[in-house]
Amino acid sequence: MDTDIKIERIEKGAAKPVVLEPGKSTKTQEVAVAEKPTTASTVAEIKAYLDSESIKYPSSAKKADLLALVK
């Protein structure tokens, strides 16, 4: 079954997939660009960025360790 997927930009550069109904399409193609996290980012935001970039990290990693993986 073919399913169209649209990526919507949401707060702080994160993205979520939106499954469209078969046969329906969007008029514009939107692509989320993940912004690199900073020290102002939360651990959850940093992990979301690392996940979007397919960067592995230990689940017990601290914020400083996660930020080191971003660079």
Side-chain angles (χ1 to χ4, degrees):
M1 175 179 180
D2 285 335
T3 304
D4 294 328
I5 295 181
K6 173 185 159 193
I7 302 295
E8 288 183 347
R9 186 175 182 78
I10 58 175
E11 188 176 334
K12 301 234 181 197
K16 66 176 184 177
V18 177
V19 178
L20 302 176
E21 294 178 33
K24 297 208 176 185
S25 63
T26 58
K27 292 184 181 186
T28 60
Q29 184 177 13
E30 298 178 29
V31 177
V33 177
E35 297 175 19
K36 284 191 174 184
T38 65
T39 55
S41 303
T42 65
V43 170
E45 291 167 341
I46 300 167
K47 286 182 175 183
Y49 173 83
L50 294 172
D51 290 341
S52 73
E53 297 293 315
S54 300
I55 299 172
K56 304 276 186 211
Y57 55 88
S59 61
S60 61
K62 303 289 183 209
K63 185 174 184 175
D65 300 326
L66 296 171
L67 283 171
L69 293 172
V70 170
K71 300 171 182 172

